[in-house]
């Protein structure tokens, strides 16, 4: 009997962070909420599963996460190899999942885990994003490809946030009951990173009194889903993002799935090319807000999901590497005794701890602003609440791409080292690390490549938000024995400010873009350093982790700083010439 929740104290440590209190208090409306409506499962009275105080709510999350952990350990992980080998297949325009995937989905559905973040009145569990992403992390540790189906709960959440009441009443229970899976249909052959170029057409058919979709989409995870959100051009003659709207498509026979891609990894998740032919759909929210508002919200949720997926894959790779290193004997010793191996293992562990702290800090920011948005739909917010909502929204917008960019890169380097620790065996299909390495590769690409996360995160870095966060972290009261770590982080921050000054000095966007990744990574090292110090303050067992992360991060930042100092504006010409 394996349980991915109870065998991982770090997840519980983050669930028990006192910063969860304001989130849960608001989410449960101070435990005074009385749900009078029920558009979800008729057999369940939403009041029956409502917590009566903060501790009760945390206990509830913990109980649910124990069930998730058990399903992951006992069903999902043992199925992963078979799923990877079998993969989905396309027959008569229908996608059939691998048999292991079918069993996994059935277990998740039976445990009512398919609408975790939706309000109870729609049949959901009213989970905060923070606790939900703990489930996503565990599912990804079991089978990264299944996360792509399980994690599509964001579709239901986006419908909840932006659709009208009738659409919510008609469709949300289908997500929460597990009757329908979701898909996020954005990418086209000529619109990948640049979604402003989306060209799939939406027109209103007066006769049929409905919107209809026409065109091609590609690389769509779970394109066979029953309910999908589609980004389409609703405004004739427009060419940019302002002409795009979002639509809810309820699967019928008008869409042809042309093919399932033959991929390097995440074999269990079908990636589809699709053709829409006069496919009826429902407008979600307002016209023209498709990309600029709704897709941005949808993608931010999905990026948080990829952050969780990256941590889950990293955890699996680290555990496999550790197990192997403890058993494999060379030169008369187990290989974990060699500095060249234990350094890799420790670096993996520290990166996971840092990435996980960033994941749950980001999730808390998301929770805070979203819960205020939800309350705003019920009543007027006070000025103070409005300020809080804005503050957390800005933080979430900065931290989400930072998280996605950094943890997905960590995930790849951890999977790489896990193979290295296995030596030749790691290159064979006999051990799970080979699959984990292939699965890890996509995390830096979908939901926006690392380069695009840098483009999004650099705004937070240059806007003064980073400095604001530094002040907040530095002002947190911590135990005197950790103060010296904050001193190092202060030095790193000062160096960072100087690097920023140099990168911004020429007042030339291309020069800033050239150094942007270095700057974002420097900022990430400082932020994660602070988060680990705060973790160590709550539990001293995290102190060595904080210490090593900062000891390694400081020279890494100095190296990046030196590069920013050395490669000046004129060198960009050299880079351009040599790149072709
Ligand atoms: C397995 C898989 C599943 C997917 N699932 C979905 C899904 O469910 N729904 C969906 O809508 N899409 C999905 N996608 C699409 C995915 O989001 C895109 O592939 C991704 O956003 C990159 O777009 P692209 O492939 O067109 O690459 P391109 O945009 O062509 O990028 C190519 C390279 O150019 C770089 N680049 C592009 N623009 C810039 C810039 N401004 N600055 C710096 N570098 C830049 C990129 O970083 C990259 O290195 C999926 C893709 C895959 C492979």
């Amino acid at each position: 009997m394996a349980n991915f929740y109870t065998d991982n104290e770090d997840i519980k440590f983050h669930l028990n962070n006192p910063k969860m209190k304001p989130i849960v208090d608001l989410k449960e409306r101070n435990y005074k909420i009385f749900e009078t409506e029920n558009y979800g499962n008729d057999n369940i009275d939403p009041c029956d599963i409502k917590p009566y105080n903060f501790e009760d709510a945390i206990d509830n999350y913990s109980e649910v996460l124990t069930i998730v952990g058990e399903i992951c350990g006992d069903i999902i992980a043992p199925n992963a190899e078979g799923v990877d080998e079998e993969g989905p297949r396309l027959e008569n325009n229908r996608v059939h999942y691998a048999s292991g995937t079918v069993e996994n989905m059935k277990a998740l559905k039976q445990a009512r885990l398919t609408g975790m973040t939706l309000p109870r009145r729609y049949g959901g569990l009213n989970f905060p994003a923070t606790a939900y992403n703990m489930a996503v992390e565990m599912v990804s540790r079991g089978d990264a490809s299944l996360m792509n189906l399980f994690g599509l709960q964001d579709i239901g959440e986006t419908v909840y946030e932006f659709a009208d009441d009738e659409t919510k009443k008609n469709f949300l229970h289908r997500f929460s009951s597990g009757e329908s899976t979701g898909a996020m249909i954005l990418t086209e052959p000529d619109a990948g990173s640049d979604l402003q170029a989306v060209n799939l057409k939406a027109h209103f058919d007066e006769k049929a009194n409905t919107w209809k979709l026409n065109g091609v989409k590609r690389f769509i995870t779970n394109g066979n889903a029953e309910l999908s959100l589609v980004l389409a051009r609703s405004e004739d003659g427009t060419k940019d993002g302002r002409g795009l709207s979002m639509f809810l498509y309820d699967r019928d026979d008008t869409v042809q799935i042309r093919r399932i891609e033959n991929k390097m990894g995440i074999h269990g998740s079908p990636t589809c090319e699709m053709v829409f032919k006069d496919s009826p759909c429902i407008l979600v929210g307002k016209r023209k807000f498709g990309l600029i508002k709704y897709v941005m919200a949808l993608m931010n949720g999905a990026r948080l999901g990829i952050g969780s997926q990256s941590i889950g894959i990293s955890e699996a790779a680290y555990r496999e590497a550790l197990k192997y290193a403890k058993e494999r004997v060379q030169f008369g010793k187990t290989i974990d005794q060699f500095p060249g191996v234990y350094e890799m293992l420790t670096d993996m562990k520290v990166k996971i701890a840092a990435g996980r702290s960033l994941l749950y800090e980001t999730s808390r920011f998301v929770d805070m602003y979203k819960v205020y948005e939800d309350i705003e739909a019920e009543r007027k917010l006070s000025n103070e609440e409005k300020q809080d909502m804005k503050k957390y929204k800005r933080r979430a917008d900065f931290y989400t791409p930072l998280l996605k960019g950094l943890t997905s890169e960590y995930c790849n380097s951890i999977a790489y080292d896990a193979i290295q620790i296995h030596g030749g065996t790691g290159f064979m299909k006999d051990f799970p690390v080979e699959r984990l390495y292939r699965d890890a590769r996509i995390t830096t690409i979908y939901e926006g490549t690392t380069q695009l996360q840098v483009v999004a995160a650099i705004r937070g870095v240059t806007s003064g938000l980073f400095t604001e966060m530094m002040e907040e972290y530095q002002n947190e009261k911590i135990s005197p024995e950790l103060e010296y770590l904050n001193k190092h982080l202060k030095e790193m921050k000062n160096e960072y400010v100087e690097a920023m000054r140099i990168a911004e000095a020429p007042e030339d966007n291309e020069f800033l873009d050239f150094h942007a990744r270095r700057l974002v990574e420097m900022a990430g090292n400082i932020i994660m350093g602070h988060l680990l110090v705060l973790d160590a303050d709550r539990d001293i067992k995290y102190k060595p982790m904080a210490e090593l992360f900062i000891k390694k991060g400081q020279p890494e930042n100095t190296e990046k700083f030196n590069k920013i100092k050395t490669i000046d504006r004129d060198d960009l010409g050299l880079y351009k010439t040599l790149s072709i």
Side-chain angles (χ1 to χ4, degrees):
M1 296 281 277
N3 189 313
F4 285 7
Y5 179 62
T6 53
D7 78 355
N8 189 339
E9 284 180 8
D10 296 336
I11 297 183
K12 203 159 197 178
F13 173 75
H14 286 288
L15 182 67
N16 288 328
N17 192 319
K19 288 181 184 164
M20 287 299 288
K21 176 109 174 51
I23 296 168
V24 181
D25 289 353
L26 286 167
K27 192 106 188 136
E28 295 298 342
R29 311 294 193 266
N30 282 317
Y31 315 96
K32 286 187 189 121
I33 196 168
F34 291 105
E35 311 238 11
T36 49
E37 298 152 312
N38 184 0
Y39 311 114
N41 186 340
D42 288 340
N43 299 322
I44 290 166
D45 178 351
C47 293
D48 288 348
I49 46 173
K50 182 182 89 58
Y52 50 85
N53 61 25
F54 171 64
E55 290 73 23
D56 188 35
I58 294 288
D59 278 352
N60 283 355
Y61 302 151
S62 197
E63 269 174 39
V64 173
L65 291 172
T66 307
I67 296 170
V68 180
E70 199 178 300
I71 295 175
C72 292
D74 284 347
I75 302 173
I76 297 172
N79 277 339
E81 192 186 330
V83 168
D84 182 57
E85 263 176 38
E86 186 184 336
R89 60 183 202 286
L90 181 63
E91 266 172 29
N92 300 326
N93 207 28
R94 285 279 184 271
V95 173
H96 300 268
Y97 300 123
S99 49
T101 308
V102 173
E103 192 193 348
N104 296 339
M105 304 269 281
K106 194 172 154 205
L108 293 166
K109 183 177 162 179
Q110 271 171 355
R112 294 192 60 235
L113 298 167
T114 43
M116 291 183 77
T117 56
L118 288 176
R120 293 186 192 92
R121 64 184 181 281
Y122 291 110
L125 298 181
N126 202 36
F127 258 47
T130 311
Y132 163 64
N133 276 292
M134 292 173 179
V136 176
E137 181 195 325
M138 288 189 277
V139 168
S140 310
R141 179 181 150 196
D143 175 357
S145 76
L146 185 70
M147 175 275 171
N148 284 10
L149 309 178
F150 178 74
L152 283 165
Q153 299 193 24
D154 290 335
I155 310 290
E157 203 178 318
T158 307
V159 171
Y160 171 67
E161 280 171 27
F162 302 114
D164 57 30
D165 284 348
E166 197 189 336
T167 308
K168 287 193 231 183
K169 282 182 201 169
N170 287 342
F171 293 99
L172 285 181
H173 66 96
R174 284 177 50 186
F175 289 109
S176 55
S177 65
E179 177 191 332
S180 303
T181 57
M184 179 172 114
I185 306 187
L186 316 174
T187 304
E188 296 176 10
D190 293 324
S193 300
D194 180 13
L195 287 174
Q196 301 209 56
V198 157
N199 208 19
L200 184 120
K201 294 273 182 296
H203 75 277
F204 193 76
D205 182 337
E206 298 285 351
K207 230 166 129 195
N209 194 28
T210 184
W211 284 90
K212 287 192 172 164
L213 301 169
N214 280 286
V216 177
K217 291 281 184 181
R218 76 161 178 176
F219 293 167
I220 306 304
T221 299
N222 205 32
N224 57 302
E226 289 81 11
L227 291 173
S228 311
L229 285 175
V230 186
L231 183 66
R233 191 160 296 283
S234 54
E235 313 304 312
D236 260 355
T238 58
K239 291 217 172 312
D240 63 14
R242 288 168 297 185
L244 301 174
S245 304
M246 184 185 267
F247 298 89
L248 180 66
Y249 166 66
D250 189 357
R251 193 178 72 188
D252 60 1
D253 289 331
T254 59
V255 168
Q256 185 207 349
I257 301 197
R258 262 194 199 154
R259 53 188 247 138
I260 306 181
E261 304 293 341
N262 185 5
K263 303 193 297 287
M264 174 185 190
I266 52 164
H267 286 170
S269 118
T271 310
C272 306
E273 185 169 301
M274 318 167 63
V275 186
F276 288 79
K277 276 191 196 143
D278 272 338
S279 309
C281 60
I282 298 165
L283 177 70
V284 173
K286 288 195 263 184
R287 275 168 81 158
K288 304 188 205 174
F289 280 69
L291 181 65
I292 51 182
K293 186 159 181 188
Y294 313 138
V295 166
M296 284 303 149
L298 177 63
M299 290 222 333
N300 270 345
R303 285 172 179 175
L304 202 58
I306 307 303
S308 315
Q309 187 181 41
S310 300
I311 298 293
I313 299 172
S314 303
E315 180 75 34
Y318 165 71
R319 283 177 186 249
E320 288 298 329
L322 181 66
K323 192 165 86 193
Y324 187 81
K326 278 181 166 173
E327 286 166 4
R328 173 74 174 160
V329 176
Q330 286 293 281
F331 301 99
K333 295 185 207 179
T334 54
I335 59 168
D336 62 344
Q337 306 293 309
F338 299 113
V341 174
Y342 67 66
E343 182 184 359
M344 277 192 275
L345 284 168
T346 300
D347 279 349
M348 289 160 119
K349 193 173 177 170
V350 172
K351 274 182 184 162
I352 294 170
R356 188 176 276 125
S357 285
L358 183 61
L359 166 63
Y360 295 120
E361 175 86 332
T362 309
S363 306
R364 288 189 296 268
F365 292 159
V366 169
D367 273 324
M368 283 301 285
Y369 89 80
K370 281 204 172 178
V371 75
Y372 278 126
E373 280 184 353
D374 200 31
I375 293 174
E376 201 177 27
E378 295 164 9
R379 65 162 170 85
K380 216 170 167 262
L381 295 180
S382 69
N383 280 346
E384 201 183 316
E385 287 173 326
K386 263 193 192 156
Q387 290 308 321
D388 248 14
M389 179 170 72
K390 267 194 199 155
K391 178 175 93 178
Y392 287 112
K393 172 92 175 72
R394 278 177 72 225
R395 290 181 180 188
D397 285 350
F398 170 31
Y399 273 43
T400 302
L402 188 75
L403 165 83
K404 200 273 179 185
L406 298 177
T407 54
S408 61
E409 295 289 341
Y410 277 4
C411 174
N412 273 274
S413 81
I414 287 169
Y416 179 95
D417 282 350
I419 296 247
Q420 197 65 21
I421 288 172
H422 281 71
T425 311
F427 197 65
M428 307 301 155
K429 286 195 174 273
D430 307 342
F431 282 72
V433 277
E434 182 269 346
R435 169 175 47 83
L436 293 169
Y437 181 71
R438 285 185 285 108
D439 287 353
R441 192 62 194 88
I442 189 61
T443 59
T444 64
I445 296 171
Y446 59 9
E447 297 311 337
T449 61
T450 299
Q451 288 69 27
L452 267 289
Q453 304 309 313
V454 167
V455 170
I458 193 74
R459 270 184 250 136
V461 172
T462 52
S463 68
L465 187 52
F466 174 73
T467 326
E468 182 187 311
M469 292 310 303
M470 288 306 99
E471 271 170 28
E472 191 166 306
Y473 290 138
Q474 287 280 351
N475 288 336
E476 291 244 16
K477 242 187 125 31
I478 52 166
S479 110
E481 65 177 305
L482 297 169
E483 281 295 349
Y484 76 100
L485 291 174
N486 264 4
K487 258 197 210 149
H488 283 286
L489 289 166
K490 217 173 197 170
E491 287 163 14
M492 287 166 78
K493 188 209 111 187
N494 292 341
E495 186 179 58
Y496 170 84
V497 170
E498 183 56 15
M500 197 72 226
R501 193 192 59 73
I502 296 169
E504 286 189 310
E507 294 187 4
D508 169 356
N509 278 342
E510 192 170 340
F511 187 63
L512 181 61
D513 286 349
F514 185 80
H515 287 301
R517 181 161 175 176
R518 273 175 279 281
L519 288 162
V520 167
E521 285 172 350
M522 285 172 85
N525 275 342
I526 304 170
I527 289 171
M528 285 187 280
H530 273 296
L531 293 174
L532 285 173
V533 169
L534 294 174
D535 289 346
D537 190 54
R538 278 211 296 131
D539 186 336
I540 205 67
K541 87 170 186 205
Y542 291 97
K543 187 181 165 207
M545 224 85 86
E547 201 169 59
L548 272 190
F549 185 81
I550 294 166
K551 269 202 172 146
K552 213 161 166 264
Q554 191 159 20
E556 245 175 54
N557 275 18
T558 300
E559 196 184 324
K560 292 179 204 299
F561 174 58
N562 286 337
K563 203 158 180 189
I564 294 170
K565 272 198 302 193
T566 316
I567 299 179
D568 60 25
R569 184 66 191 86
D570 296 339
D571 293 324
L572 259 59
L574 264 182
Y575 267 93
K576 264 192 194 160
T577 322
L578 287 175
S579 73
I580 46 170

